[in-house]
Amino acid sequence: MKNQVKTIVEIDEGAEPEEFWQSLLAGNKCVATSYDLKKRARLFQCSERTSVFKATEVEGFTQDDLPERGAAILDGYDEVFVWFGKQATPTEKEMTLQTAE
């Protein structure tokens, strides 16, 4: 197996380039209405609020499931996206990136 190049690009919410939406949602800016993405993607909310890091899958997710406290991983199979809420702790950020890898 070849080593895959890992590229991390940080994008602030509201400042996403059009290419982001094209690759993520085929141009649809609402996760909740993108049937194709929901059909094949999996969302995991990540938190260490209980002193133990957990990644919990969210069934039937919408954009509202992206937490302000904590982080999330959207596994789109071809690409993986990581979300950091405004109140995500440094540990949550580190552990979420490790889990996404």
Side-chain angles (χ1 to χ4, degrees):
M1 176 184 253
K2 290 183 179 180
N3 287 336
Q4 293 184 357
V5 175
K6 297 175 189 171
T7 303
I8 297 175
V9 177
E10 186 174 325
I11 302 171
D12 291 330
E13 185 173 8
E16 301 92 346
E18 191 59 35
E19 296 82 31
F20 171 82
W21 294 112
Q22 290 298 322
S23 68
L24 180 61
L25 305 172
N28 184 345
K29 292 187 179 182
C30 181
V31 173
T33 60
S34 178
Y35 175 76
D36 186 52
L37 180 68
K38 286 172 61 177
K39 183 172 71 174
R40 60 187 176 88
R42 298 170 69 192
L43 181 72
F44 297 87
Q45 289 181 338
C46 302
S47 175
E48 57 129 4
R49 300 294 174 187
T50 61
S51 299
V52 175
F53 180 80
K54 284 184 163 185
T56 306
E57 187 168 5
V58 178
E59 299 284 332
F61 61 88
T62 68
Q63 189 170 0
D64 290 336
D65 291 310
L66 297 172
E68 191 165 306
R69 291 185 67 196
I73 298 169
L74 180 64
D75 180 358
Y77 297 99
D78 294 335
E79 293 183 271
V80 175
F81 299 89
V82 177
W83 163 271
F84 297 127
K86 291 180 183 180
Q87 298 175 17
T89 68
T91 300
E92 286 169 332
K93 292 177 180 181
E94 180 182 339
M95 295 299 296
T96 299
L97 283 174
Q98 287 179 15
T99 302
E101 283 185 45

